[in-house]
Amino acid sequence: MPFPTHRPRRLRRTEALRGLVRETVLSTSSLVYPMFVCPGRKVKDEILSMPGNYRWSVDLLVDECKAVSDLGIPAVILFGIPEKKDETSSGAYDPKGIIQRAVRAVKKALPNLLVICDVCLDEYTSHGHCGLIKDGEVDNDSTLELLAKTALSQAEAGADIVAPSDMMDGRVGRIRRELDARGFAGAPILAYSAKYASAFYGPFREAADSAPKFGDRKSYQMDPANQSEALREIALDIEEGADIIMVKPALPYLDILALARQTFHVPLAAYQVSGEFSMIAAAAQNGWIDRERTMMESLISIKRAGADIILTYLAKDAARLLG
């Protein structure tokens, strides 16, 4: 029946009423905090385009992970900045590489904190692309072998989850076969399944010094105009053995996230990427928006669209508010 019988405002009058009928609930247990690891000791190097985020040396990374864990955040995802880069990304799969050392140190100090490792080569290649270059292009099939080596080295170091982000065709299946053959059948794969060729990655590329030295990544990351292609990519990753699927970025692709939630019945993650973070941080610094309210509204929108897991540089700030 129409007004005045029905008054939706009745259930909005107080915070207690709003909380009682709230449809979407954000919790600390769904957050993952991305972190950057660099060589050296006692290094805490702030990333200019991502205020409040740092490149950490392994010794200080462990202390920061303890602070993350104390806030109730269950997981971190690690990105490495190697001492040197080369054409074959050897630092990515070196057993003594920066990420492998970091994983061992964090798991020794904090065995209950979940450590996720990004599986990609762009941070380790001298040219900044996510694979081996042949005839001026990223070669898909030869890159798969290095991705499998990288994932295996991370699992051997103690990583709880490996997360291929490269967008090479067939990489989930190749990594799954490698892990299974080497005694890591229980290691989950979080696949960056729908990763778009986005302009929102800029601050990350500064943080990891991973911008391509030539060309771009449009031949392997997805076209922002495409929607059904994302479902095809996700379906392929699940078929190849992905345990968790992810949409990246988050806010510009909430439609993709919602479609994935409606279509697939596996754990679904979303990455609120560096550019999304930096826009909120910059606007808040200029007094144009309320940082806390905007942060929480952005995260709840990602949750509402269907994400079970949210990777976000705002994880610590949100955890403090969520208590």
Side-chain angles (χ1 to χ4, degrees):
M1 294 178 67
F3 175 86
T5 302
H6 290 289
R7 292 178 179 264
R9 285 183 58 190
R10 291 185 186 120
L11 297 179
R12 302 177 195 149
R13 285 191 306 108
T14 67
E15 178 55 34
L17 280 169
R18 291 191 295 272
L20 184 68
V21 298
R22 188 161 288 140
E23 299 173 26
T24 305
V25 177
L26 180 69
S27 69
T28 305
S29 62
S30 63
L31 302 178
V32 177
Y33 188 49
M35 303 182 73
F36 299 91
V37 196
C38 66
R41 287 188 57 79
K42 304 298 181 185
V43 177
K44 181 183 179 182
D45 180 22
E46 187 168 26
I47 302 160
L48 294 179
S49 59
M50 299 174 66
N53 289 270
Y54 300 86
R55 302 177 191 89
W56 302 93
S57 55
V58 172
D59 53 330
L60 296 188
L61 176 80
V62 173
D63 295 337
E64 181 66 2
C65 283
K66 173 73 163 55
V68 170
S69 180
D70 287 346
L71 286 168
I73 298 168
V76 297
I77 182 166
L78 301 182
F79 299 91
I81 298 119
E83 294 173 350
K84 60 183 180 66
K85 305 187 179 201
D86 56 36
E87 293 290 311
T88 59
S89 65
S90 60
Y93 43 86
D94 183 351
K96 297 180 180 179
I98 187 69
I99 283 295
Q100 289 77 3
R101 298 198 309 271
V103 172
R104 286 192 289 268
V106 172
K107 291 305 294 184
K108 180 179 179 180
L110 300 161
N112 294 325
L113 180 67
L114 292 172
V115 175
I116 306 169
C117 285
D118 176 70
V119 181
C120 199
L121 308 182
D122 59 325
E123 297 141 59
Y124 304 90
T125 54
S126 52
H127 47 71
H129 277 285
C130 300
L132 293 175
I133 302 297
K134 288 189 177 180
D135 300 323
E137 296 183 355
V138 175
D139 184 71
N140 192 94
D141 294 7
S142 60
T143 296
L144 298 184
E145 300 310 309
L146 298 188
L147 294 170
K149 287 179 65 174
T150 299
L152 177 62
S153 73
Q154 293 169 349
E156 290 174 336
D160 296 288
I161 300 172
V162 296
S165 63
D166 55 284
M167 289 301 286
M168 297 297 115
D169 294 337
R171 87 270 201 217
V172 171
R174 182 65 189 89
I175 289 170
R176 184 74 274 161
R177 291 192 297 275
E178 186 73 15
L179 293 175
D180 290 357
R182 300 301 184 98
F184 293 96
I189 295 175
L190 188 169
Y192 289 58
S193 298
K195 180 179 178 180
Y196 285 84
S198 173
F200 286 87
Y201 303 146
F204 177 98
R205 292 177 181 176
E206 178 206 329
D209 187 26
S210 62
K213 298 298 186 289
F214 65 90
D216 54 41
R217 294 176 179 157
K218 293 179 181 179
S219 70
Y220 44 101
Q221 295 177 357
M222 287 183 55
D223 185 339
N226 292 357
Q227 188 180 75
S228 61
E229 183 187 14
L231 300 182
R232 187 161 66 251
E233 286 277 12
I234 292 169
L236 287 168
D237 281 356
I238 293 172
E239 184 179 352
E240 290 179 22
D243 302 282
I244 305 169
I245 56 174
M246 182 156 71
V247 174
K248 178 184 179 181
L251 288 175
Y253 297 91
L254 292 181
D255 61 320
I256 307 301
L257 195 57
L259 272 176
R261 177 72 295 153
Q262 295 163 14
T263 307
F264 302 103
H265 303 288
V266 298
L268 175 61
Y271 199 145
Q272 187 182 47
V273 300
S274 59
E276 297 174 67
F277 165 85
S278 294
M279 287 194 304
I280 292 173
Q285 283 180 345
N286 280 284
W288 298 335
I289 59 172
D290 181 300
R291 180 187 170 97
E292 289 187 356
R293 289 185 60 196
T294 306
M295 169 182 69
M296 298 308 286
E297 185 176 342
S298 70
L299 293 173
I300 203 70
S301 72
I302 297 167
K303 188 76 171 177
R304 188 184 65 241
D308 302 300
I309 303 163
I310 304 174
L311 290 73
T312 175
Y313 301 94
L314 294 165
K316 289 171 61 183
D317 293 340
R320 292 187 186 101
L321 290 179
L322 293 168

